[in-house]
mmCIF file of all heavy atoms in Angstrom:
data_model
loop_
_atom_site.group_PDB
_atom_site.id
_atom_site.type_symbol
_atom_site.label_atom_id
_atom_site.label_comp_id
_atom_site.label_asym_id
_atom_site.label_seq_id
_atom_site.Cartn_x
_atom_site.Cartn_y
_atom_site.Cartn_z
ATOM 1 N N MET A 668 5.968 5.492 19.744
ATOM 2 C CA MET A 668 5.904 5.351 18.368
ATOM 3 C C MET A 668 7.260 5.294 17.721
ATOM 4 O O MET A 668 8.282 5.794 18.294
ATOM 5 C CB MET A 668 5.204 6.546 17.727
ATOM 6 C CG MET A 668 3.708 6.723 18.055
ATOM 7 S SD MET A 668 2.691 7.108 16.576
ATOM 8 C CE MET A 668 3.457 8.760 16.205
ATOM 9 N N ALA A 669 7.401 4.606 16.698
ATOM 10 C CA ALA A 669 8.652 4.368 16.055
ATOM 11 C C ALA A 669 8.522 4.280 14.524
ATOM 12 O O ALA A 669 7.504 3.808 14.057
ATOM 13 C CB ALA A 669 9.313 3.065 16.500
ATOM 14 N N ARG A 671 9.466 2.405 11.346
ATOM 15 C CA ARG A 671 9.916 1.088 11.068
ATOM 16 C C ARG A 671 10.536 1.003 9.662
ATOM 17 O O ARG A 671 10.380 1.891 8.793
ATOM 18 C CB ARG A 671 8.747 0.067 11.060
ATOM 19 C CG ARG A 671 8.130 -0.053 12.483
ATOM 20 C CD ARG A 671 7.345 -1.320 12.718
ATOM 21 N NE ARG A 671 6.546 -1.148 13.915
ATOM 22 C CZ ARG A 671 5.917 -2.229 14.467
ATOM 23 N NH1 ARG A 671 5.963 -3.366 13.870
ATOM 24 N NH2 ARG A 671 5.216 -1.950 15.576
ATOM 25 N N GLU A 686 -2.504 -12.058 6.793
ATOM 26 C CA GLU A 686 -3.589 -12.662 7.591
ATOM 27 C C GLU A 686 -4.506 -11.588 8.242
ATOM 28 O O GLU A 686 -4.089 -10.526 8.564
ATOM 29 C CB GLU A 686 -2.879 -13.451 8.730
ATOM 30 C CG GLU A 686 -2.082 -14.627 8.371
ATOM 31 C CD GLU A 686 -2.910 -15.727 7.824
ATOM 32 O OE1 GLU A 686 -4.050 -15.819 8.303
ATOM 33 O OE2 GLU A 686 -2.470 -16.521 6.969
ATOM 34 N N PRO A 687 -5.787 -12.012 8.259
ATOM 35 C CA PRO A 687 -6.761 -11.093 8.950
ATOM 36 C C PRO A 687 -6.386 -10.780 10.387
ATOM 37 O O PRO A 687 -5.792 -11.641 11.049
ATOM 38 C CB PRO A 687 -8.065 -11.837 8.813
ATOM 39 C CG PRO A 687 -7.867 -12.789 7.864
ATOM 40 C CD PRO A 687 -6.462 -13.215 7.822
ATOM 41 N N VAL A 688 -6.680 -9.590 10.783
ATOM 42 C CA VAL A 688 -6.510 -9.114 12.245
ATOM 43 C C VAL A 688 -7.681 -9.830 13.065
ATOM 44 O O VAL A 688 -8.875 -9.805 12.692
ATOM 45 C CB VAL A 688 -6.589 -7.656 12.381
ATOM 46 C CG1 VAL A 688 -6.580 -7.233 13.854
ATOM 47 C CG2 VAL A 688 -5.401 -7.152 11.568
ATOM 48 N N GLY A 689 -7.366 -10.376 14.206
ATOM 49 C CA GLY A 689 -8.430 -10.889 15.162
ATOM 50 C C GLY A 689 -8.829 -9.784 16.052
ATOM 51 O O GLY A 689 -9.455 -8.724 15.646
ATOM 52 N N GLU A 690 -8.255 -9.832 17.304
ATOM 53 C CA GLU A 690 -8.552 -8.825 18.330
ATOM 54 C C GLU A 690 -7.722 -7.478 17.965
ATOM 55 O O GLU A 690 -6.625 -7.710 17.681
ATOM 56 C CB GLU A 690 -8.359 -9.278 19.678
ATOM 57 C CG GLU A 690 -8.952 -8.535 20.746
ATOM 58 C CD GLU A 690 -8.405 -8.867 22.132
ATOM 59 O OE1 GLU A 690 -7.768 -9.876 22.192
ATOM 60 O OE2 GLU A 690 -8.611 -8.052 23.090
ATOM 61 N N ILE A 691 -8.296 -6.392 18.121
ATOM 62 C CA ILE A 691 -7.618 -5.152 17.962
ATOM 63 C C ILE A 691 -7.081 -4.804 19.350
ATOM 64 O O ILE A 691 -7.745 -4.132 20.146
ATOM 65 C CB ILE A 691 -8.476 -4.038 17.368
ATOM 66 C CG1 ILE A 691 -9.081 -4.435 16.038
ATOM 67 C CG2 ILE A 691 -7.673 -2.659 17.299
ATOM 68 C CD1 ILE A 691 -10.108 -3.507 15.469
ATOM 69 N N ASP A 692 -5.888 -5.228 19.633
ATOM 70 C CA ASP A 692 -5.272 -5.061 20.953
ATOM 71 C C ASP A 692 -4.117 -4.059 20.905
ATOM 72 O O ASP A 692 -3.990 -3.405 19.908
ATOM 73 C CB ASP A 692 -4.842 -6.401 21.500
ATOM 74 C CG ASP A 692 -3.774 -7.147 20.500
ATOM 75 O OD1 ASP A 692 -3.296 -6.391 19.593
ATOM 76 O OD2 ASP A 692 -3.572 -8.291 20.629
ATOM 77 N N ASP A 693 -3.365 -3.894 22.086
ATOM 78 C CA ASP A 693 -2.255 -2.911 22.145
ATOM 79 C C ASP A 693 -1.259 -3.103 21.064
ATOM 80 O O ASP A 693 -0.583 -2.197 20.546
ATOM 81 C CB ASP A 693 -1.720 -2.864 23.519
ATOM 82 C CG ASP A 693 -2.534 -2.146 24.528
ATOM 83 O OD1 ASP A 693 -3.509 -1.544 24.082
ATOM 84 O OD2 ASP A 693 -2.226 -2.263 25.667
ATOM 85 N N GLU A 694 -1.033 -4.488 20.715
ATOM 86 C CA GLU A 694 0.027 -4.737 19.710
ATOM 87 C C GLU A 694 -0.401 -4.169 18.400
ATOM 88 O O GLU A 694 0.396 -3.559 17.680
ATOM 89 C CB GLU A 694 0.177 -6.204 19.753
ATOM 90 C CG GLU A 694 1.342 -6.692 18.738
ATOM 91 C CD GLU A 694 1.297 -8.124 18.459
ATOM 92 O OE1 GLU A 694 1.040 -8.943 19.365
ATOM 93 O OE2 GLU A 694 1.723 -8.635 17.345
ATOM 94 N N ILE A 695 -1.691 -4.303 17.971
ATOM 95 C CA ILE A 695 -2.136 -3.802 16.742
ATOM 96 C C ILE A 695 -2.159 -2.274 16.821
ATOM 97 O O ILE A 695 -1.759 -1.548 15.865
ATOM 98 C CB ILE A 695 -3.643 -4.223 16.541
ATOM 99 C CG1 ILE A 695 -3.704 -5.788 16.317
ATOM 100 C CG2 ILE A 695 -4.249 -3.580 15.320
ATOM 101 C CD1 ILE A 695 -2.929 -6.328 15.062
ATOM 102 N N ARG A 696 -2.595 -1.684 17.970
ATOM 103 C CA ARG A 696 -2.592 -0.233 18.049
ATOM 104 C C ARG A 696 -1.194 0.388 17.954
ATOM 105 O O ARG A 696 -1.009 1.486 17.297
ATOM 106 C CB ARG A 696 -3.235 0.168 19.343
ATOM 107 C CG ARG A 696 -4.768 0.154 19.345
ATOM 108 C CD ARG A 696 -5.427 0.718 20.602
ATOM 109 N NE ARG A 696 -5.366 -0.296 21.665
ATOM 110 C CZ ARG A 696 -6.411 -1.171 21.897
ATOM 111 N NH1 ARG A 696 -7.424 -1.180 21.115
ATOM 112 N NH2 ARG A 696 -6.264 -2.068 22.865
ATOM 113 N N THR A 697 -0.192 -0.307 18.536
ATOM 114 C CA THR A 697 1.187 0.253 18.363
ATOM 115 C C THR A 697 1.649 -0.005 16.995
ATOM 116 O O THR A 697 2.293 0.948 16.348
ATOM 117 C CB THR A 697 2.152 -0.621 19.249
ATOM 118 O OG1 THR A 697 1.712 -0.548 20.606
ATOM 119 C CG2 THR A 697 3.573 -0.297 19.099
ATOM 120 N N LEU A 698 1.315 -1.066 16.244
ATOM 121 C CA LEU A 698 1.696 -1.314 14.805
ATOM 122 C C LEU A 698 1.084 -0.133 14.016
ATOM 123 O O LEU A 698 1.795 0.402 13.163
ATOM 124 C CB LEU A 698 1.198 -2.656 14.361
ATOM 125 C CG LEU A 698 1.312 -2.898 12.854
ATOM 126 C CD1 LEU A 698 2.696 -2.897 12.431
ATOM 127 C CD2 LEU A 698 0.725 -4.316 12.555
ATOM 128 N N VAL A 699 -0.188 0.167 14.228
ATOM 129 C CA VAL A 699 -0.817 1.208 13.426
ATOM 130 C C VAL A 699 -0.192 2.601 13.630
ATOM 131 O O VAL A 699 0.090 3.304 12.707
ATOM 132 C CB VAL A 699 -2.364 1.193 13.699
ATOM 133 C CG1 VAL A 699 -3.009 2.507 13.175
ATOM 134 C CG2 VAL A 699 -3.068 0.030 13.246
ATOM 135 N N ALA A 700 0.065 2.884 14.886
ATOM 136 C CA ALA A 700 0.758 4.155 15.173
ATOM 137 C C ALA A 700 2.240 4.288 14.496
ATOM 138 O O ALA A 700 2.597 5.220 13.908
ATOM 139 C CB ALA A 700 0.963 4.238 16.734
ATOM 140 N N ASP A 701 2.905 3.073 14.468
ATOM 141 C CA ASP A 701 4.232 3.026 13.833
ATOM 142 C C ASP A 701 4.047 3.113 12.315
ATOM 143 O O ASP A 701 4.887 3.777 11.665
ATOM 144 C CB ASP A 701 4.925 1.720 14.201
ATOM 145 C CG ASP A 701 5.413 1.675 15.689
ATOM 146 O OD1 ASP A 701 5.219 2.666 16.305
ATOM 147 O OD2 ASP A 701 5.958 0.672 15.971
ATOM 148 N N MET A 702 3.017 2.465 11.739
ATOM 149 C CA MET A 702 2.751 2.654 10.387
ATOM 150 C C MET A 702 2.430 4.045 9.960
ATOM 151 O O MET A 702 3.051 4.611 8.901
ATOM 152 C CB MET A 702 1.591 1.751 9.994
ATOM 153 C CG MET A 702 1.917 0.241 9.926
ATOM 154 S SD MET A 702 0.458 -0.824 9.495
ATOM 155 C CE MET A 702 -0.054 -0.221 7.922
ATOM 156 N N LEU A 703 1.683 4.708 10.692
ATOM 157 C CA LEU A 703 1.344 6.142 10.358
ATOM 158 C C LEU A 703 2.695 7.035 10.391
ATOM 159 O O LEU A 703 2.945 7.731 9.613
ATOM 160 C CB LEU A 703 0.280 6.728 11.344
ATOM 161 C CG LEU A 703 -1.151 6.209 11.010
ATOM 162 C CD1 LEU A 703 -2.030 6.541 12.231
ATOM 163 C CD2 LEU A 703 -1.741 6.803 9.747
ATOM 164 N N ALA A 716 0.678 -3.074 6.017
ATOM 165 C CA ALA A 716 1.606 -3.568 7.101
ATOM 166 C C ALA A 716 2.689 -4.469 6.611
ATOM 167 O O ALA A 716 3.783 -4.454 7.090
ATOM 168 C CB ALA A 716 0.635 -4.425 8.079
ATOM 169 N N VAL A 719 6.138 -2.937 6.160
ATOM 170 C CA VAL A 719 7.082 -3.012 7.383
ATOM 171 C C VAL A 719 7.176 -4.407 7.953
ATOM 172 O O VAL A 719 7.470 -4.620 9.083
ATOM 173 C CB VAL A 719 6.539 -1.967 8.429
ATOM 174 C CG1 VAL A 719 6.722 -0.557 7.889
ATOM 175 C CG2 VAL A 719 5.172 -2.141 8.926
ATOM 176 N N ALA A 720 7.015 -5.457 6.986
ATOM 177 C CA ALA A 720 7.294 -6.815 7.201
ATOM 178 C C ALA A 720 6.319 -7.477 8.280
ATOM 179 O O ALA A 720 6.726 -8.466 8.925
ATOM 180 C CB ALA A 720 8.768 -6.953 7.746
ATOM 181 N N VAL A 721 5.242 -6.899 8.448
ATOM 182 C CA VAL A 721 4.207 -7.491 9.307
ATOM 183 C C VAL A 721 3.059 -8.038 8.445
ATOM 184 O O VAL A 721 2.276 -7.209 7.800
ATOM 185 C CB VAL A 721 3.644 -6.592 10.389
ATOM 186 C CG1 VAL A 721 2.546 -7.273 11.276
ATOM 187 C CG2 VAL A 721 4.714 -5.951 11.240
ATOM 188 N N PRO A 722 2.810 -9.318 8.245
ATOM 189 C CA PRO A 722 1.739 -9.848 7.348
ATOM 190 C C PRO A 722 0.375 -9.829 7.984
ATOM 191 O O PRO A 722 -0.166 -10.917 8.014
ATOM 192 C CB PRO A 722 2.351 -11.227 7.085
ATOM 193 C CG PRO A 722 3.167 -11.740 8.278
ATOM 194 C CD PRO A 722 3.690 -10.395 8.853
ATOM 195 N N LYS A 723 -0.052 -8.680 8.258
ATOM 196 C CA LYS A 723 -1.430 -8.575 8.695
ATOM 197 C C LYS A 723 -2.259 -7.649 7.830
ATOM 198 O O LYS A 723 -1.712 -6.711 7.152
ATOM 199 C CB LYS A 723 -1.353 -7.948 10.175
ATOM 200 C CG LYS A 723 -0.922 -8.895 11.263
ATOM 201 C CD LYS A 723 -1.048 -8.269 12.641
ATOM 202 C CE LYS A 723 -0.258 -9.028 13.652
ATOM 203 N NZ LYS A 723 -0.636 -10.395 13.856
ATOM 204 N N ARG A 724 -3.624 -7.822 7.712
ATOM 205 C CA ARG A 724 -4.334 -7.043 6.831
ATOM 206 C C ARG A 724 -4.822 -5.683 7.394
ATOM 207 O O ARG A 724 -5.878 -5.379 7.879
ATOM 208 C CB ARG A 724 -5.662 -7.901 6.415
ATOM 209 C CG ARG A 724 -5.269 -9.204 5.824
ATOM 210 C CD ARG A 724 -6.425 -10.074 5.194
ATOM 211 N NE ARG A 724 -6.858 -9.585 3.977
ATOM 212 C CZ ARG A 724 -6.351 -9.878 2.764
ATOM 213 N NH1 ARG A 724 -5.288 -10.588 2.743
ATOM 214 N NH2 ARG A 724 -6.866 -9.375 1.697
ATOM 215 N N ILE A 725 -3.754 -4.848 7.365
ATOM 216 C CA ILE A 725 -3.896 -3.471 8.014
ATOM 217 C C ILE A 725 -3.227 -2.504 6.918
ATOM 218 O O ILE A 725 -2.161 -2.707 6.413
ATOM 219 C CB ILE A 725 -3.114 -3.235 9.264
ATOM 220 C CG1 ILE A 725 -3.617 -4.289 10.299
ATOM 221 C CG2 ILE A 725 -3.399 -1.788 9.753
ATOM 222 C CD1 ILE A 725 -2.858 -4.280 11.545
ATOM 223 N N THR A 727 -2.810 1.886 6.224
ATOM 224 C CA THR A 727 -3.011 3.304 6.607
ATOM 225 C C THR A 727 -2.950 4.160 5.279
ATOM 226 O O THR A 727 -2.223 3.884 4.384
ATOM 227 C CB THR A 727 -1.878 3.812 7.497
ATOM 228 O OG1 THR A 727 -0.623 3.610 6.937
ATOM 229 C CG2 THR A 727 -1.893 3.089 8.851
ATOM 230 N N VAL A 741 -7.366 4.410 8.769
ATOM 231 C CA VAL A 741 -6.888 3.096 9.185
ATOM 232 C C VAL A 741 -7.929 2.113 8.718
ATOM 233 O O VAL A 741 -9.090 2.118 9.165
ATOM 234 C CB VAL A 741 -6.504 2.960 10.624
ATOM 235 C CG1 VAL A 741 -6.076 1.646 10.989
ATOM 236 C CG2 VAL A 741 -5.522 4.102 11.089
ATOM 237 N N ILE A 743 -8.713 -1.914 8.666
ATOM 238 C CA ILE A 743 -8.379 -3.215 9.200
ATOM 239 C C ILE A 743 -9.251 -4.225 8.426
ATOM 240 O O ILE A 743 -10.504 -4.035 8.296
ATOM 241 C CB ILE A 743 -8.467 -3.327 10.674
ATOM 242 C CG1 ILE A 743 -7.529 -2.355 11.230
ATOM 243 C CG2 ILE A 743 -8.356 -4.666 11.255
ATOM 244 C CD1 ILE A 743 -7.710 -2.099 12.836
ATOM 245 N N LEU A 784 -10.117 1.430 13.934
ATOM 246 C CA LEU A 784 -9.317 1.112 15.131
ATOM 247 C C LEU A 784 -10.145 0.704 16.319
ATOM 248 O O LEU A 784 -9.789 -0.009 17.285
ATOM 249 C CB LEU A 784 -8.366 2.179 15.551
ATOM 250 C CG LEU A 784 -6.942 2.107 15.048
ATOM 251 C CD1 LEU A 784 -6.073 3.167 15.669
ATOM 252 C CD2 LEU A 784 -6.263 0.775 15.543
#
Side-chain angles (χ1 to χ4, degrees):
M668 292 222 299
R671 302 201 189 188
E686 291 290 330
V688 172
E690 196 193 348
I691 301 168
D692 55 14
D693 283 349
E694 187 191 323
I695 297 294
R696 282 186 280 271
T697 299
L698 171 60
V699 167
D701 289 356
M702 284 175 63
L703 285 167
V719 292
V721 180
K723 292 187 192 298
R724 301 184 80 83
I725 304 175
T727 57
V741 178
I743 299 172
L784 258 185

